[in-house]
Every structure is written in C-alpha cells, then in structure tokens.
Amino acid sequence: MNSERWRLILGDASSGALGDPTGIAAEQDSALEWLYGRDAARAAQGVRSGGSRARAGGALAKGQKGEGRALHRDRRGRPSGVGTTVVSAVDWLDDINRLFPRETVHRLERDAVEKYEITEVVTDPEALERIEPSVTLLRAVLRTKHLMDPRVLALAKKAVDTVVKELIEKLSVDVRKTFHGTRSRQGTSFRNSRNFDFPATVLANLKHWNPETRSIAIEKPLFTSRTRRHTDTWTLILLVDQSGSMIDSVVHSAVTAACFWNVPGLRTHLIAYDTNVVDLTSEVLDPVELLMGVQLGGGNDGAKAVDYAGQLVETPRRTIVVIISDLYESQADRFVRSVSRLTDEGVRVLALAALDESGEPDYDREIAQRLVRLGVHVGAMTPGGLAEFVAGCIR
C-alpha cells in the first residue's frame, strides 16, 4: 500500500510522517474529513483520524478519476475540512461520487445516514435526488419521514419505490421456486405439446432403442396433467414489532407479505404492533404506502398482538404465526401465556429475532428459551428462509 493511501486512511495524524496530500488525494482527504471529522471519540482524543475512516474501504485511493474540479478550499488554498467552509450534504454527495469508486461511495453514504445521522442527506430534496436508492436510504427515509415537507416526501417515496421493487423482484424469484410445487403426475388423454411428458416417454420406450441409428422409436407418447395437486388453504400471520431496532425486519416483512400474497393455497395477514395493534393486510399489495405509514419506535405489547392473531385463526393445524420481534417484553409472562394458547391449539409458531439478509440479532434469550419449551421455533431468517419454512409446513 503506497503512502498516499495510508495518508487517506490515517488522516492528519499521519501528516508528520507522510506529509499533506496533494491533488486528487487532497480532495479525497477533505471529503473523508467532512464525514469522519465529526466522530466524537476522535474529537475527545484530539485526533482527526480513526478506524471508521479506515473501514470506509480498501479502495480509498483507487477513485482518482482525473483532475476534476477543486473541492472546497480554505484561505490558504488547502481543501477544507470541518469548520473552515460550510459544505452542504449536496456538495459532499457530488464530491464523493466524483472522487471514489462505487463500493466506497456506498460505504460513505451508509455511514453518513446511519452512524452520524446526517438527516440532510435524505431531507434535502437536492441531496435526495443525488443519492443512489438502496436499503440504507430506505431505512433512513423511514426514520426521518416525519421531518420531510411534501416535496421531499414525494421524492422519498420515489426512492423507496425503487428499492422496494428491487427487493420484491429478488424475493419473488425465491418464492416462486419454493412454492412452485409438484405438479400432478396423473396421465391425461388431452394431448398437446405442453402436456408432453418427455422423461416418462423415453423411459417407457427404451425397448425401442436402435443402437445403429442411436435413436428411440416413440410408439407410446405419454402425457400428464398440468394441474397442481390440491392444496388445503393455509393461513400465514406475520406479527411485526415496529420498534426502531426492528426496522430491517419491518422492511422485509412488508416485502415478504407482498410476495406471499399470490401463493396458491396461502392466506396471508400482516399485523404491525407497538403498544397498539394495526392490521395492515389490506395494504399488503402496496408495500411502499405501507412502509411510509409505519410508525417506528415506542414500546411494544406482544401479548396483545398474539391475542389478535388468535382471532384470525380458523383452522389451527393449518395456521402459521410468525412473530418478528426482539422479544423484549415488559409483560413477559402475559406474552408467553398468549403464545402458549396458540401452540396448545396446534398452531405452528415461529419467533424470529430478525427477518433480513444479514446481521446478528439482539433478543431476549430468557423469553426465547421459554418459547422453545412451548415448541416454538426461535431464530433469525432471511425472507427466502421463511419462504422455505412455510412451504415445508404446507407440504
């Protein structure tokens, strides 16, 4: 690694040994300092560099794209950091997209909205138009939508719509594969190319194999019905804790419910709860509006949500209740009793500390152990993993 890249990673703490950056590297250094210079731990130590800056990516010095335009400079002509020239979030987004490779830009944007909570990135209409739609942006929008005026909210919805469509497209593939189901292998007299059963036909006519011509004479073509096997209707009830710590799970629950909606033989309900219970089933087909209406934060009353789910159960042994929560309950005994009533009736209950693509879930392990003793499956899953679990129950 050359000295220039070390200088970008270490910041001003390395000036004595490595000198000040020049040219494009100086602009990169200033852009990094705009973000990481606000780190409280660094300020307390009187150091203008640190680990967060280093973790911005191993490609810090790979983003040189020619001369570019000058970044914001102080009176001595050096690129300015925090406290010299006021750099807006819009300017900063322009700079990082010009100065760094895509991977590094994504990391910088994520740190800006999640670690340092720079709300201007999502509440300034110009900044919102520049930032690339991503799950990180979606989370930031959901957390700050109450700060947005109507114009910004409209832009935010467009960004959310882009991200949600990408998530649905990705998950829909997994759901279609998982729930494709085994088609009936019954023979049919209705003969057309769509019903032709090639493997069965070859097997039935192997005795007509001609080694000289290396071909099989098909004397008895076979056809099978394309109708699916009859499937009893199952009910899937997703109970989603909408506290702030569960934001990823809220997003993926909305997307998952939308993908499950058209699965044959599956009736899906989506319920969000904090201290109140809100039935969002009627909005499942519009996950963008659903997410924009979610109120993050506050307490939670899991028992009330589970009791509401109990009212939706028609056939217990063909019902799956998925509780998506970190299980931190103020009334733990009441919550466990409510879950026990469902399991005693024969309902299959799944408690997920996280429903997302990654991450280590944080949850109340004592309550989790009590649920396990009731026969509840406890863990964390990806949306695709949940689809496989539900499909396994139905089969």
Side-chain angles (χ1 to χ4, degrees):
M1 183 181 289
N2 59 33
S3 61
E4 188 175 79
R5 192 179 306 178
W6 274 117
R7 176 62 180 80
L8 287 174
I9 293 173
L10 297 174
D12 281 1
S14 62
S15 293
L18 300 176
D20 289 330
T22 58
I24 293 296
E27 297 183 52
Q28 292 174 319
D29 180 72
S30 184
L32 293 173
E33 193 61 34
W34 184 89
L35 179 63
Y36 297 113
R38 63 194 73 217
D39 192 295
R42 291 174 56 197
Q45 297 168 2
V47 178
R48 295 181 61 220
S49 63
S52 295
R53 182 167 173 158
R55 288 191 296 271
L60 292 179
K62 294 181 182 178
Q64 300 177 0
K65 304 177 182 179
E67 291 303 317
R69 61 176 175 78
L71 197 67
H72 315 279
R73 297 178 178 271
D74 62 20
R75 276 180 280 181
R76 291 178 296 172
R78 293 182 56 197
S80 66
V82 175
T84 53
T85 301
V86 176
V87 180
S88 72
V90 178
D91 294 329
W92 180 74
L93 287 168
D94 280 344
D95 289 332
I96 63 172
N97 277 281
R98 178 175 56 86
L99 296 167
F100 296 106
R102 188 182 187 88
E103 179 184 353
T104 306
V105 169
H106 287 176
R107 177 56 193 255
L108 294 171
E109 290 177 345
R110 184 166 68 249
D111 282 351
V113 298
E114 293 187 348
K115 182 171 183 177
Y116 298 108
E117 298 181 349
I118 304 173
T119 57
E120 308 96 277
V121 174
V122 288
T123 56
D124 183 312
E126 291 186 60
L128 198 55
E129 288 177 332
R130 283 167 170 76
I131 192 168
E132 184 172 339
S134 64
V135 175
T136 296
L137 174 62
L138 193 157
R139 287 194 294 263
V141 167
L142 296 186
R143 287 194 176 106
T144 58
K145 62 182 185 292
H146 62 286
L147 302 174
M148 299 176 181
D149 63 36
R151 179 192 167 198
V152 176
L153 195 60
L155 288 172
K157 282 186 177 181
K158 287 179 62 177
V160 169
D161 183 60
T162 299
V163 179
V164 168
K165 282 180 179 177
E166 290 176 357
L167 290 173
I168 287 178
E169 184 177 353
K170 179 181 177 182
L171 180 58
S172 292
V173 174
D174 293 336
V175 171
R176 282 196 299 270
K177 288 180 180 178
T178 303
F179 286 93
H180 187 269
T182 304
R183 295 187 181 275
S184 169
R185 306 305 297 174
Q186 282 187 316
T188 179
S189 58
F190 186 65
R191 300 184 172 195
N192 64 22
S193 59
R194 296 182 66 197
N195 289 347
F196 180 61
D197 191 335
F198 180 79
T201 298
V202 171
L203 188 62
N205 290 274
L206 280 177
K207 59 185 176 182
H208 305 301
W209 166 256
N210 186 330
E212 293 182 2
T213 61
R214 300 182 63 80
S215 61
I216 297 176
I218 304 298
E219 293 188 0
K220 185 182 179 182
L222 298 179
F223 299 83
T224 54
S225 169
R226 290 179 56 82
T227 58
R228 292 185 183 277
R229 289 175 175 164
H230 173 71
T231 303
D232 291 325
T233 299
W234 280 68
T235 299
L236 172 66
I237 305 171
L238 301 176
L239 300 178
V240 188
D241 174 356
Q242 58 178 345
S243 59
S245 61
M246 298 297 295
I247 186 168
D248 278 335
S249 295
V250 171
V251 169
H252 285 91
S253 296
V255 170
T256 301
C259 293
F260 280 158
W261 189 257
N262 293 316
V263 171
L266 186 65
R267 183 187 301 117
T268 303
H269 298 270
L270 179 62
I271 316 298
Y273 70 93
D274 42 32
T275 53
N276 296 306
V277 177
V278 182
D279 194 328
L280 300 173
T281 304
S282 62
E283 300 178 48
V284 163
L285 291 180
D286 191 351
V288 174
E289 286 298 326
L290 188 158
L291 287 170
M292 295 301 285
V294 164
Q295 299 297 320
L296 296 170
N300 64 336
D301 191 339
K304 186 185 291 187
V306 173
D307 290 342
Y308 181 84
Q311 300 173 28
L312 302 175
V313 176
E314 296 178 0
T315 309
R317 298 197 175 279
R318 290 205 301 273
T319 299
I320 304 167
V321 173
V322 183
I323 305 168
I324 303 168
S325 169
D326 55 17
L327 303 178
Y328 287 107
E329 293 286 335
S330 57
Q331 301 184 56
D333 292 340
R334 181 166 154 259
F335 172 69
V336 173
R337 284 196 300 271
S338 295
V339 175
S340 179
R341 283 194 289 272
L342 290 182
T343 57
D344 288 346
E345 291 176 1
V347 174
R348 303 188 192 197
V349 180
L350 179 63
L352 297 182
L355 178 68
D356 55 31
E357 294 299 335
S358 61
E360 291 295 324
D362 176 29
Y363 61 97
D364 189 312
R365 282 164 171 73
E366 182 181 346
I367 292 183
Q369 290 173 357
R370 294 175 66 180
L371 294 181
V372 169
R373 288 194 287 270
L374 297 175
V376 175
H377 299 266
V378 179
M381 284 185 180
T382 64
L386 177 59
E388 291 176 4
F389 177 88
V390 173
C393 291
I394 292 175
R395 290 169 186 157

